[in-house]
Amino acid sequence: MQLATENDKSERFTICVITSHKVFGLAVRSHAPTRFRRRLVQILKGAADQCPANRPSVVWLHFIGVAEADFRALCDFSINGSGAGLNAVVADVLHPDASITDRSHVQRILFSVQSRALRQHQMLDPNLIVIPIVSHSTTCFDVPNPKSKFAPLIEI
C-alpha cells in the first residue's frame, strides 16, 4: 500500500510505503520561502517604500483572481497565533531585523480579496434621498505593525 499527500499550507510532502514486514516513511518540509511568498514581500516592501517616512501609512494589498475560500483558509492559518502565513510575510516586510530599510512609518498592512457576495443596503444620494444599492463585500485581513513609530489613528 502506498500513501502520498501534499499540503500546500505547510509546504509539506509525505510518502509512506507499507509492504509485508516493512514500512518506509518520508516526510519533507521545505524551509525555503515559496516564490509566491517572496513576491508578496517584494511587492509590499515596494509599496511601503513609496509612502513618506514622516507620515503614518497603511499598505493595502488586494488579491485579484484568488478564490475567497482559499483566502479565508490563509487568514485562518495566519490567525492561529504561530506567526505564520500573512503575519510572517508582514514581519519580513516591516521588522527591523529583516531589512536595513526603516519601514516603521507603516502602521498596518491589510490584505483583501474580491468576494462574489453581493450586499443590498440603502444610502443617501446627492439629493439626500434614500435609495437602494447593491455592492460587493470583501474579506479583509489586518496585520498591525507593533513597531510603528506612530500611534494608531484609527481602526480599519
Side-chain angles (χ1 to χ4, degrees), residues 35-112:
R35 188 174 357 169
F36 177 71
R37 182 167 183 249
R38 285 192 307 262
R39 184 70 178 128
L40 276 180
V41 170
Q42 180 184 12
I43 290 168
L44 291 170
K45 282 183 176 182
D49 293 344
Q50 290 180 33
C51 301
N54 60 345
R55 300 192 60 171
S57 306
V58 173
V59 175
W60 192 319
L61 181 66
H62 184 73
F63 293 101
I64 297 174
V66 175
E68 185 178 13
D70 294 339
F71 181 72
R72 285 184 184 269
L74 179 59
C75 292
D76 291 341
F77 177 69
S78 302
I79 288 172
N80 75 6
S82 65
L86 295 174
N87 295 326
V89 169
V90 170
D92 286 349
V93 173
L94 299 179
H95 199 278
D97 294 340
S99 174
I100 59 171
T101 304
D102 179 20
R103 295 185 181 92
S104 62
H105 60 284
V106 177
Q107 289 190 319
R108 59 189 357 100
I109 295 181
L110 296 154
F111 300 90
S112 63

Side-chain angles (χ1 to χ4, degrees), residues 60 65-66 72 119 123 132 135 149:
W60 192 319
V66 175
R72 285 184 184 269
R119 190 170 65 103
M123 71 171 272
S135 63
K149 62 185 173 185

Side-chain angles (χ1 to χ4, degrees), residues 102-143:
D102 179 20
R103 295 185 181 92
S104 62
H105 60 284
V106 177
Q107 289 190 319
R108 59 189 357 100
I109 295 181
L110 296 154
F111 300 90
S112 63
V113 66
Q114 188 166 350
S115 172
R116 295 193 184 273
L118 295 176
R119 190 170 65 103
Q120 296 181 359
H121 54 98
Q122 297 179 343
M123 71 171 272
L124 289 175
D125 74 357
N127 297 325
L128 299 178
I129 299 173
V130 177
I131 58 170
I133 64 164
V134 176
S135 63
H136 278 280
S137 62
T138 187
T139 301
C140 187
F141 187 75
D142 178 8
V143 184

